[in-house]
Amino acid sequence: MHPDETDDGGRIHFSSAGRSLIEEDQIELTSVGVDIGSSTSHLLVSTIMLERMDTRYVVTGRKVQFESEILLTPYADGNTIDAEALAAFIEAQYAAAGLSSEDIDTGALILTGVAARRTNARAIGEIFAAQAGKFVAVSAGDALETLMAAHGSGAVALSERLGTVLNIDVGGGTTKIALCRDGDIISRTALDAGARLIVTDADGRITRLEPFGARYLSDVDAEIGLGDVLPADIRNKIAKQMAAAIISAARGEEVSDFMRLAPLAEAPTSGQIVFSGGVSEFLDWSGGNTDDLGPELALALASLVKEHAFQVSPARQGIRATVVGASQYTVQVSGSTIYLDPDDTLPLRNLAVIAPTVVLGDEIDAQEVAAAIKDALARLDLQDGETPVAVAVPWTGSASYARLRALGNGLVTGLTTILEKGHPLVIVSEGDIGGLIGMQCRSEENCPGAIVSIDGIALSEFDFIDIGEVLRSTGATPVVVKSLLFPTEH
């Protein structure tokens, strides 16, 4: 098979079960990461290097080729994003990078905050409609954005070497905090604190005042509103108030009325911090005033960090921590171990992968499996069941009836919200149980809808998959895995 045999949907066609999927041992892809948020929008272009390993490609390198300007997200009115202005910005940045949309092999479109609202997401999606099959599209809520920022800033990778690292991502409207240890995120939280909760014009008058911006004004006893001048001393007071709230949350405390997620389950009182998000760009700021509280908030945070004996490590990416590109590789699946019911369920595209943290020992606890699945859904803000998912099952050991039954029960129970919305049960296992677990879920677990169960594929969190139709000539089904990429320590 050759690279030019792919269609716009990214599905890979091949004709022989014994053939390599792609003839080249090494390939390069041009990847674009686009981050559109409530406050700012920007993109980053990377070259992704992949090498063939058996019948799949693994990422061996990533080089940033272009970083766009930072655009204050344009609004037509109220909370409606101006899609035309945004499209013009994207087109201009492509031109500045020396690219056209046809040059893009793959990418990630990340929508956060107001951008993720249904009407805005639809309008933004139309900008990239021609590349729909190439792009991973993610609407990130607080929990997912916290995870992505911690990975994108390099904090997770850094924790592999240093043990415990806090990532504090301070944006325009919210702050996301993740406690990383030994390469994993063990706790996370978020609160309403950010540089653009209050925005001023060149004369220092307030032109935009978010509800939580008004709350911070009230907390410092400033009787100021839209159209009023925001004096320098009040700017500093608000910044110190926000910084104190952020550090309190980072220490595991609950900041009354400002928390967007539950407090950190565990929090260090000192240690290593990586700052990311827009405000991190002001930590070494030597310029003048801006139209928001970015410089003041960065200064207040730097002061408190020293006071609490935290050490600051530089981020791999600051404001661009969530703009990460996507890699793409293929895996061939044997038709003999696939379970598909009904036959016309495929193809499926852009399924988010959840990777429950569970060890499947000799005796499998169905309740433990269900709880791990629910936690994995919550990590990626998918617990409402509106989006179909694929479950990565870390299967090893014997395929005994008792183990399969417990696993099947745990899968169906944990995915109840997904299945009740009419989405298919999609199971992807690295172990050779695709057909067996599919039949188990159909025959004994009262799964209400379609079932797709495939194996021989290793997946992880932040992967997205496309599953093509079964090829009659081979009985196999092609799968494309698109993975969000983050910095590694090495």
Side-chain angles (χ1 to χ4, degrees):
M1 181 213 109
H2 298 275
D4 60 2
E5 291 174 0
T6 62
D7 61 17
D8 288 342
R11 195 160 63 250
I12 306 300
H13 297 279
F14 57 94
S15 58
S16 172
R19 292 182 59 190
S20 297
L21 296 185
I22 298 180
E23 292 180 355
E24 288 80 3
D25 288 330
Q26 296 180 329
I27 57 175
E28 290 187 356
L29 301 176
T30 299
S31 172
V32 174
V34 184
D35 185 359
I36 300 172
S38 301
S39 300
T40 61
S41 300
H42 41 94
L43 62 85
L44 179 149
V45 180
S46 302
T47 298
I48 309 296
M49 285 72 75
L50 302 99
E51 290 187 8
R52 183 155 58 87
M53 180 181 293
D54 298 324
T55 56
R56 64 175 175 170
Y57 277 81
V58 295
V59 177
T60 58
R62 176 174 177 268
K63 183 178 180 180
V64 174
Q65 301 290 3
F66 175 78
E67 295 181 349
S68 78
E69 300 172 1
I70 306 297
L71 173 73
L72 294 179
T73 301
Y75 289 86
D77 58 77
N79 283 324
T80 303
I81 288 177
D82 187 336
E84 288 187 11
L86 190 60
F89 169 76
I90 299 296
E91 185 176 346
Q93 298 310 305
Y94 274 16
L99 298 171
S100 68
S101 59
E102 289 75 21
D103 297 320
I104 306 302
D105 296 307
T106 187
L109 172 62
I110 313 297
L111 307 180
T112 60
V114 170
R117 293 181 181 177
R118 190 177 299 271
T119 54
N120 283 331
R122 186 182 301 114
I124 294 166
E126 289 175 357
I127 299 173
F128 301 92
Q131 297 170 298
K134 300 177 182 180
F135 272 69
V136 169
V138 183
S139 293
D142 294 318
L144 177 54
E145 194 175 356
T146 303
L147 265 65
M148 294 181 71
H151 280 279
S153 69
V156 173
L158 185 63
S159 73
E160 293 180 12
R161 177 163 57 89
L162 299 183
T164 300
V165 176
L166 265 176
N167 185 73
I168 302 180
D169 186 271
V170 189
T174 60
T175 294
K176 283 74 62 179
I177 303 171
L179 178 60
C180 313
R181 180 171 297 148
D182 300 328
D184 290 315
I185 297 172
I186 63 172
S187 190
R188 63 193 184 280
T189 191
L191 69 156
D192 286 291
R196 298 189 66 79
L197 292 175
I198 304 174
V199 178
T200 59
D201 62 14
D203 297 322
R205 295 186 180 278
I206 298 175
T207 57
R208 182 174 173 184
L209 181 60
E210 301 293 342
F212 279 96
R215 290 283 300 278
Y216 282 105
L217 281 170
S218 176
D219 284 352
V220 299
D221 298 320
E223 297 182 359
I224 297 174
L226 274 173
D228 295 331
V229 172
L230 184 65
D233 63 326
I234 300 299
R235 293 173 72 102
N236 288 322
K237 281 184 179 180
I238 295 169
K240 289 178 180 178
Q241 185 85 354
M242 281 190 192
I246 291 168
I247 297 302
S248 292
R251 290 163 58 89
E253 301 169 19
E254 181 165 3
V255 183
S256 179
D257 300 328
F258 288 91
M259 303 300 294
R260 298 176 66 89
L261 296 175
L264 293 178
E266 175 188 340
T269 55
S270 62
Q272 210 74 25
I273 287 180
V274 172
F275 282 106
S276 59
V279 172
S280 71
E281 305 285 335
F282 291 105
L283 289 172
D284 299 315
W285 180 251
S286 58
N289 292 331
T290 64
D291 65 350
D292 58 32
L293 300 175
E296 292 89 349
L297 183 50
L299 183 63
L301 282 168
S303 176
L304 278 180
V305 162
K306 288 181 181 178
E307 201 176 295
H308 288 281
F310 285 105
Q311 301 296 316
V312 178
S313 291
R316 295 288 187 89
Q317 292 289 343
I319 192 171
R320 294 179 172 86
T322 55
V323 183
V324 288
S327 74
Q328 187 165 302
Y329 63 88
T330 63
V331 180
Q332 182 176 327
V333 181
S334 169
S336 62
T337 55
I338 290 173
Y339 183 87
L340 176 63
D341 181 36
D343 293 339
D344 61 354
T345 303
L346 299 177
L348 297 172
R349 288 185 179 174
N350 211 34
L351 294 177
V353 172
I354 63 167
T357 306
V358 61
V359 177
L360 302 178
D362 292 338
E363 294 185 5
I364 296 175
D365 186 328
Q367 291 184 340
E368 183 182 344
V369 172
I373 288 173
K374 290 176 181 178
D375 182 63
L377 289 170
R379 282 200 301 270
L380 301 185
D381 290 316
L382 298 170
Q383 66 272 25
D384 60 7
E386 295 296 331
T387 305
V389 301
V391 185
V393 176
W395 181 269
T396 57
S398 64
S400 67
Y401 171 72
R403 296 185 79 222
L404 288 168
R405 183 179 183 184
L407 175 60
N409 182 269
L411 286 168
V412 174
T413 302
L415 292 167
T416 297
T417 56
I418 302 288
L419 303 178
E420 286 180 344
K421 293 291 177 71
H423 300 304
L425 171 61
V426 182
I427 306 166
V428 184
S429 170
E430 190 172 0
D432 188 19
I433 59 161
L436 292 174
I437 191 62
M439 288 187 286
Q440 175 67 34
C441 291
R442 174 59 78 216
S443 63
E444 295 194 30
E445 300 306 329
N446 196 29
C447 182
I451 298 176
V452 178
S453 182
I454 59 180
D455 56 25
I457 302 177
L459 296 177
S460 59
E461 207 161 58
F462 298 117
D463 284 344
F464 294 77
I465 64 171
D466 299 341
I467 307 176
E469 296 178 12
V470 174
L471 302 178
R472 296 184 183 279
S473 60
T474 64
T477 183
V479 178
V480 173
V481 182
K482 294 173 271 192
S483 307
L484 297 183
L485 296 184
F486 298 102
T488 59
E489 184 61 14
H490 301 290

Short mmCIF file of all heavy atoms in Angstrom, two decimals, residues 152-181:
data_model
loop_
_atom_site.label_atom_id
_atom_site.label_comp_id
_atom_site.label_asym_id
_atom_site.label_seq_id
_atom_site.Cartn_x
_atom_site.Cartn_y
_atom_site.Cartn_z
N GLY A 152 1.13 18.93 27.82
CA GLY A 152 1.71 19.83 26.83
C GLY A 152 2.81 20.72 27.39
O GLY A 152 3.75 21.09 26.67
N SER A 153 2.73 21.09 28.66
CA SER A 153 3.75 21.95 29.26
C SER A 153 5.05 21.19 29.53
O SER A 153 6.10 21.79 29.78
CB SER A 153 3.24 22.53 30.58
OG SER A 153 3.12 21.51 31.56
N GLY A 154 4.96 19.87 29.53
CA GLY A 154 6.12 19.05 29.86
C GLY A 154 6.18 18.65 31.31
O GLY A 154 7.11 17.94 31.74
N ALA A 155 5.18 19.05 32.12
CA ALA A 155 5.19 18.74 33.55
C ALA A 155 5.10 17.24 33.81
O ALA A 155 5.78 16.71 34.70
CB ALA A 155 4.04 19.47 34.26
N VAL A 156 4.27 16.54 33.05
CA VAL A 156 4.14 15.10 33.24
C VAL A 156 5.46 14.41 32.93
O VAL A 156 5.92 13.55 33.69
CB VAL A 156 3.00 14.53 32.36
CG1 VAL A 156 2.97 13.01 32.44
CG2 VAL A 156 1.65 15.10 32.80
N ALA A 157 6.07 14.78 31.83
CA ALA A 157 7.36 14.17 31.47
C ALA A 157 8.43 14.50 32.50
O ALA A 157 9.24 13.64 32.87
CB ALA A 157 7.79 14.64 30.08
N LEU A 158 8.42 15.73 33.00
CA LEU A 158 9.41 16.14 34.00
C LEU A 158 9.27 15.34 35.29
O LEU A 158 10.26 15.03 35.97
CB LEU A 158 9.25 17.64 34.29
CG LEU A 158 10.29 18.27 35.24
CD1 LEU A 158 11.69 18.19 34.63
CD2 LEU A 158 9.91 19.72 35.53
N SER A 159 8.03 14.98 35.63
CA SER A 159 7.80 14.22 36.86
C SER A 159 8.40 12.81 36.79
O SER A 159 8.62 12.19 37.83
CB SER A 159 6.30 14.14 37.18
OG SER A 159 5.62 13.25 36.31
N GLU A 160 8.66 12.30 35.60
CA GLU A 160 9.32 11.01 35.48
C GLU A 160 10.72 11.06 36.09
O GLU A 160 11.22 10.07 36.61
CB GLU A 160 9.41 10.59 34.00
CG GLU A 160 8.07 10.30 33.36
CD GLU A 160 8.22 9.89 31.91
OE1 GLU A 160 9.37 9.61 31.48
OE2 GLU A 160 7.21 9.85 31.19
N ARG A 161 11.34 12.25 36.02
CA ARG A 161 12.70 12.41 36.55
C ARG A 161 12.71 12.96 37.97
O ARG A 161 13.50 12.52 38.81
CB ARG A 161 13.51 13.33 35.62
CG ARG A 161 14.91 13.62 36.10
CD ARG A 161 15.78 14.18 34.98
NE ARG A 161 15.21 15.38 34.40
CZ ARG A 161 15.45 16.62 34.86
NH1 ARG A 161 16.22 16.80 35.92
NH2 ARG A 161 14.94 17.67 34.25
N LEU A 162 11.81 13.91 38.25
CA LEU A 162 11.85 14.60 39.54
C LEU A 162 10.91 14.01 40.58
O LEU A 162 10.98 14.37 41.75
CB LEU A 162 11.52 16.09 39.35
CG LEU A 162 12.47 16.88 38.45
CD1 LEU A 162 12.07 18.35 38.41
CD2 LEU A 162 13.91 16.73 38.91
N GLY A 163 10.00 13.14 40.15
CA GLY A 163 9.08 12.52 41.11
C GLY A 163 7.76 13.22 41.20
O GLY A 163 6.74 12.73 40.73
N THR A 164 7.72 14.43 41.78
CA THR A 164 6.46 15.17 41.96
C THR A 164 6.59 16.56 41.37
O THR A 164 7.53 17.30 41.69
CB THR A 164 6.08 15.27 43.44
OG1 THR A 164 5.91 13.96 43.98
CG2 THR A 164 4.77 16.05 43.61
N VAL A 165 5.66 16.92 40.50
CA VAL A 165 5.66 18.23 39.85
C VAL A 165 4.23 18.74 39.79
O VAL A 165 3.31 18.00 39.44
CB VAL A 165 6.24 18.17 38.41
CG1 VAL A 165 6.14 19.52 37.72
CG2 VAL A 165 7.69 17.67 38.43
N LEU A 166 4.02 20.01 40.12
CA LEU A 166 2.73 20.65 39.97
C LEU A 166 2.72 21.44 38.66
O LEU A 166 3.65 22.20 38.39
CB LEU A 166 2.46 21.64 41.11
CG LEU A 166 1.67 21.18 42.33
CD1 LEU A 166 1.64 22.30 43.36
CD2 LEU A 166 0.25 20.79 41.96
N ASN A 167 1.69 21.25 37.85
CA ASN A 167 1.51 22.12 36.69
C ASN A 167 0.39 23.10 37.00
O ASN A 167 -0.72 22.71 37.39
CB ASN A 167 1.15 21.33 35.44
CG ASN A 167 1.07 22.23 34.22
OD1 ASN A 167 2.09 22.67 33.71
ND2 ASN A 167 -0.13 22.52 33.75
N ILE A 168 0.66 24.39 36.86
CA ILE A 168 -0.35 25.43 37.07
C ILE A 168 -0.52 26.18 35.76
O ILE A 168 0.39 26.90 35.33
CB ILE A 168 0.04 26.38 38.21
CG1 ILE A 168 0.25 25.61 39.51
CG2 ILE A 168 -1.02 27.46 38.39
CD1 ILE A 168 0.64 26.47 40.70
N ASP A 169 -1.64 25.98 35.12
CA ASP A 169 -1.92 26.57 33.81
C ASP A 169 -2.90 27.73 34.00
O ASP A 169 -4.07 27.53 34.28
CB ASP A 169 -2.52 25.51 32.87
CG ASP A 169 -2.71 26.01 31.46
OD1 ASP A 169 -3.79 26.57 31.17
OD2 ASP A 169 -1.78 25.86 30.64
N VAL A 170 -2.40 28.95 33.87
CA VAL A 170 -3.19 30.15 34.15
C VAL A 170 -3.57 30.81 32.83
O VAL A 170 -2.71 31.32 32.11
CB VAL A 170 -2.43 31.15 35.04
CG1 VAL A 170 -3.36 32.27 35.50
CG2 VAL A 170 -1.81 30.44 36.24
N GLY A 171 -4.85 30.78 32.50
CA GLY A 171 -5.31 31.33 31.24
C GLY A 171 -6.06 32.63 31.39
O GLY A 171 -5.89 33.37 32.36
N GLY A 172 -6.93 32.89 30.42
CA GLY A 172 -7.70 34.13 30.44
C GLY A 172 -8.84 34.12 31.43
O GLY A 172 -9.14 35.14 32.06
N GLY A 173 -9.49 32.96 31.59
CA GLY A 173 -10.65 32.90 32.47
C GLY A 173 -10.54 31.90 33.59
O GLY A 173 -11.20 32.05 34.63
N THR A 174 -9.74 30.86 33.39
CA THR A 174 -9.64 29.80 34.40
C THR A 174 -8.19 29.39 34.62
O THR A 174 -7.32 29.65 33.77
CB THR A 174 -10.44 28.55 33.98
OG1 THR A 174 -9.92 28.04 32.75
CG2 THR A 174 -11.91 28.87 33.82
N THR A 175 -7.96 28.75 35.75
CA THR A 175 -6.65 28.19 36.08
C THR A 175 -6.82 26.70 36.32
O THR A 175 -7.72 26.29 37.07
CB THR A 175 -6.06 28.87 37.32
OG1 THR A 175 -5.79 30.24 37.04
CG2 THR A 175 -4.76 28.18 37.75
N LYS A 176 -5.99 25.90 35.67
CA LYS A 176 -6.03 24.45 35.80
C LYS A 176 -4.77 23.98 36.52
O LYS A 176 -3.67 24.44 36.19
CB LYS A 176 -6.11 23.77 34.43
CG LYS A 176 -7.48 23.81 33.78
CD LYS A 176 -7.88 25.16 33.22
CE LYS A 176 -6.94 25.62 32.12
NZ LYS A 176 -7.37 26.95 31.58
N ILE A 177 -4.95 23.08 37.49
CA ILE A 177 -3.83 22.62 38.31
C ILE A 177 -3.79 21.10 38.28
O ILE A 177 -4.81 20.45 38.53
CB ILE A 177 -3.96 23.13 39.76
CG1 ILE A 177 -4.05 24.65 39.79
CG2 ILE A 177 -2.80 22.64 40.62
CD1 ILE A 177 -4.40 25.23 41.14
N ALA A 178 -2.62 20.54 37.99
CA ALA A 178 -2.47 19.09 37.95
C ALA A 178 -1.27 18.69 38.80
O ALA A 178 -0.20 19.28 38.68
CB ALA A 178 -2.29 18.60 36.52
N LEU A 179 -1.46 17.68 39.64
CA LEU A 179 -0.37 17.12 40.42
C LEU A 179 0.16 15.89 39.68
O LEU A 179 -0.56 14.91 39.48
CB LEU A 179 -0.86 16.73 41.82
CG LEU A 179 0.17 16.07 42.74
CD1 LEU A 179 1.36 16.99 42.97
CD2 LEU A 179 -0.46 15.67 44.06
N CYS A 180 1.41 15.97 39.25
CA CYS A 180 2.01 14.91 38.45
C CYS A 180 3.05 14.17 39.29
O CYS A 180 3.83 14.81 40.02
CB CYS A 180 2.70 15.50 37.21
SG CYS A 180 1.69 16.69 36.31
N ARG A 181 3.06 12.85 39.15
CA ARG A 181 4.05 12.06 39.89
C ARG A 181 4.48 10.87 39.06
O ARG A 181 3.64 10.10 38.57
CB ARG A 181 3.49 11.61 41.22
CG ARG A 181 4.47 10.76 42.06
CD ARG A 181 3.96 10.52 43.46
NE ARG A 181 3.83 11.78 44.18
CZ ARG A 181 2.90 12.01 45.12
NH1 ARG A 181 2.01 11.07 45.41
NH2 ARG A 181 2.85 13.16 45.74
#
